[in-house]
Amino acid sequence: MGHSQAEKAQSRERILKEAARQVRDGGLESLSVAKLMRSVNLTHGGFYGHFASRAELLACALERALADGAAASQAATGAGRAAPGPADFEALLRSYLSRSHRDARGQGCAIAALAADVARADERGGEVREVMSARVEAFIARIGASLQADDDEAMFAASAMVGGLLLARVMNDRRRSDQLLHAVKTALSERQAGG
Amino acid sequence: MGHSQAEKAQSRERILKEAARQVRDGGLESLSVAKLMRSVNLTHGGFYGHFASRAELLACALERALADGAAASQAATGAGRAAPGPADFEALLRSYLSRSHRDARGQGCAIAALAADVARADERGGEVREVMSARVEAFIARIGASLQADDDEAMFAASAMVGGLLLARVMNDRRRSDQLLHAVKTALSERQAGG
DNA sequence: TGTACATCAGTGAACGCGCGTTCACTGATGTAC
DNA sequence: TGTACATCAGTGAACGCGCGTTCACTGATGTAC
C-alpha cells in the first residue's frame, strides 16, 4: 500500500468518485462510510483522513454526482463545438429521455435521482440544498440557451424532462414506460418547432 | 390500555396512517419500526402483531400514502360532482402546483415524494414498484380524463407536474421556486386552451 | 347474572448486526544532515 | 550518496447507539357454563 502525498490525492479521488456513483444509485441515505471504504479497498478508519464527517462527504459526493451528470449531458449533445441552438436541444432531449438513461440510474442525471432526497434535507444540512439549487439553475440555463427561449419556457421543459425520467423509471410495464419517454420527447420537440 | 378486537383494528389504522405520513415526509428508508410505534404510543414489540415485517409495512404504507394523495387531489378539484373536463384540470393544476403543496411534503403527492425511492427498489422488493406503477397509471388516467386528451398528452402533463413540484421543492430561492411553479402551471394551462 | 378460563393485544428485555466516529498503532515517505 | 528521523496515509480494534426481530410475559377481553 502506498503512503505518498500523490497517492493520498488519488485515494481521495477514488473515494469521491465511488461515493458519487453509490449516491446516484442508492440515494443520499444509502451511503455508508464502511461500505464505501471497502469498495475502494481501504479500511473505514482511513476515511477521516480525507473527510471530516459523513455529512461533509455527502455534500461533496452530491456536488460530484451533479457535476458528472452535467458533463455527461454536455458530452452527449456535443456542446461546446458551436453556438447552442435547436439541434442542441434535440440532442439533449434524445439522450435525456432515452431508454438507456432510464435504465442506468447509477450513471444518470443526479437531479432526477436525488431531488426528493435533497428536498427532505430541509433546514438541517442546508448545504446540500445550496449545491442542488445551483445545479438546477444551471440545468435550466442550459436548456434556455439551447431552446433560445425565456426562463419560464426552460423551467417548463426542465420540469417535464425530470418528471418524465422519474415516472419512466417507476413504471413496471416497459412498453408504457417507453411510451411515456417518447410522449415527453415528442411534446417538447414539437413545442420548440412550433414556437 | 385496551385489548379488544375493535381496538386492535384501530391500532393498526393508527400505525398505518402515521407510517404513511412519515414515509411521505422522510422517504421509504426513513421509516423505523421503533420510532413509528413510539409515535403512536405503543411499544415496538407489538408491531409484529399487525405486520409480518418492516418490508410488508413499507408496501402497505406506500399504498396508503398514494391513496391519501389521490383522495386529496380529488377533494381539491371537487371531482365526482360532474363529468371531468377543462375546469377540473385547471383546479388540479392550481392545487398540485401551489405553494402550499410544495411546502407540505408530509401531506402532499406521494408519487413526487417517493418515485426515486421506488425506482431504487429495483428487482428486490418488486411489490412497491407494482403499487407505485398502478398509482402512476391512475394519475395519468385522471389527467387524461379531465384534459379530454390522449394518453401521450396526459403522460406529458403528468411528467411536467411531478417534475415541477420536485424542482420547486429543491430550489433555495423562493422567488425562483414560485416562478417555476407558475411557469409550469401556465404552460400546461395554455396548452390545453390552445389544443 | 356470576364465575372460570382461554384468547390474544400489547409489553419490554434481549438477540445479533451495522452504523459513524475515535484512537493507538504501523510502516513507507521524504527531508535534514 | 548514505543514514537518522519526523511526518503522516492507512490499519484495525473499540466505543456507544439504533436497528429489525423474537419471545416470555401480563392482564383485559369475551366466551362457556
Side-chain angles (χ1 to χ4, degrees):
Chain A
M1 69 211 62
H3 291 285
S4 74
Q5 290 160 344
E7 281 164 323
K8 178 171 187 187
Q10 281 172 25
S11 287
R12 190 189 149 98
E13 173 61 20
R14 279 194 303 138
I15 293 169
L16 200 44
K17 192 173 172 180
E18 177 63 17
R21 200 194 60 73
Q22 289 188 13
V23 141
R24 265 194 290 194
D25 198 51
L28 286 180
E29 287 321 312
S30 81
L31 201 141
S32 131
V33 171
K35 280 191 315 196
L36 171 65
M37 294 301 280
R38 237 177 281 130
S39 70
V40 294
N41 292 319
L42 291 171
T43 50
H44 58 277
F47 172 79
Y48 295 88
H50 296 283
F51 298 91
S53 66
R54 178 175 177 271
E56 186 187 302
L57 169 71
L58 278 186
C60 293
L62 175 64
E63 172 70 59
R64 170 62 67 101
L66 288 159
D68 285 356
S73 103
Q74 296 281 0
T77 64
R81 280 201 228 105
D88 211 43
F89 183 66
E90 287 292 330
L92 178 59
L93 269 187
R94 254 197 312 278
S95 101
Y96 197 94
L97 294 167
S98 67
R99 274 163 295 190
S100 67
H101 190 194
R102 174 195 62 197
D103 298 336
R105 238 178 29 236
Q107 294 115 250
C109 174
I111 295 175
L114 301 173
D117 282 27
V118 170
R120 276 169 209 141
D122 246 359
E123 329 302 339
R124 26 159 190 132
E127 195 181 357
V128 293
R129 281 182 75 98
E130 266 170 46
V131 169
M132 177 63 91
S133 268
R135 290 292 176 169
V136 167
E137 289 289 1
F139 186 56
I140 291 169
R142 173 152 157 42
I143 291 172
S146 66
L147 262 180
Q148 296 173 301
D150 64 11
D151 247 23
D152 281 18
E153 186 62 27
M155 283 175 162
F156 178 58
S159 297
M161 289 167 68
V162 168
L165 183 60
L166 266 169
L167 293 183
R169 279 183 178 161
V170 128
M171 292 170 81
N172 253 344
D173 183 334
R174 277 186 86 80
R175 276 226 208 82
R176 291 287 284 170
S177 175
D178 291 353
Q179 184 190 343
L180 184 141
L181 287 175
H182 185 259
V184 176
K185 229 182 311 187
T186 305
L188 286 177
S189 178
E190 282 174 0
R191 203 176 160 80
Q192 95 139 340
Chain B
M1 70 211 64
H3 291 285
S4 73
Q5 290 159 347
E7 280 164 323
K8 178 171 188 187
Q10 280 170 25
S11 288
R12 189 189 148 98
E13 174 61 19
R14 278 194 303 140
I15 293 168
L16 200 44
K17 192 173 172 181
E18 177 62 19
R21 200 195 60 74
Q22 289 189 12
V23 140
R24 264 194 292 194
D25 197 51
L28 286 179
E29 287 321 314
S30 81
L31 201 141
S32 130
V33 172
K35 280 189 314 194
L36 172 65
M37 294 301 278
R38 236 176 282 130
S39 70
V40 294
N41 292 318
L42 291 170
T43 51
H44 57 278
F47 172 79
Y48 295 89
H50 295 282
F51 298 92
S53 65
R54 178 176 177 272
E56 186 189 299
L57 169 72
L58 278 187
C60 293
L62 175 63
E63 172 70 59
R64 169 62 67 101
L66 288 160
D68 285 354
S73 104
Q74 296 281 358
T77 64
R81 281 203 228 104
D88 211 41
F89 182 66
E90 287 292 330
L92 178 59
L93 269 187
R94 252 197 313 279
S95 99
Y96 198 94
L97 294 167
S98 66
R99 273 163 296 189
S100 67
H101 190 194
R102 174 195 63 197
D103 298 335
R105 241 178 27 238
Q107 296 113 251
C109 174
I111 294 176
L114 302 171
D117 282 27
V118 170
R120 278 169 208 140
D122 247 359
E123 330 300 341
R124 30 163 187 128
E127 195 181 356
V128 292
R129 282 183 74 96
E130 266 169 47
V131 169
M132 178 63 93
S133 269
R135 290 293 176 167
V136 167
E137 289 289 3
F139 186 56
I140 292 169
R142 171 150 157 45
I143 291 172
S146 66
L147 263 180
Q148 295 172 302
D150 64 12
D151 248 22
D152 281 18
E153 186 61 26
M155 284 174 163
F156 178 58
S159 298
M161 289 167 68
V162 168
L165 183 60
L166 268 169
L167 293 184
R169 279 183 179 163
V170 129
M171 291 171 82
N172 252 345
D173 182 333
R174 277 187 87 82
R175 277 227 207 82
R176 293 286 286 168
S177 175
D178 291 352
Q179 184 190 343
L180 185 142
L181 288 176
H182 185 259
V184 176
K185 229 182 310 186
T186 305
L188 286 176
S189 179
E190 282 173 0
R191 207 176 154 79
Q192 93 139 342

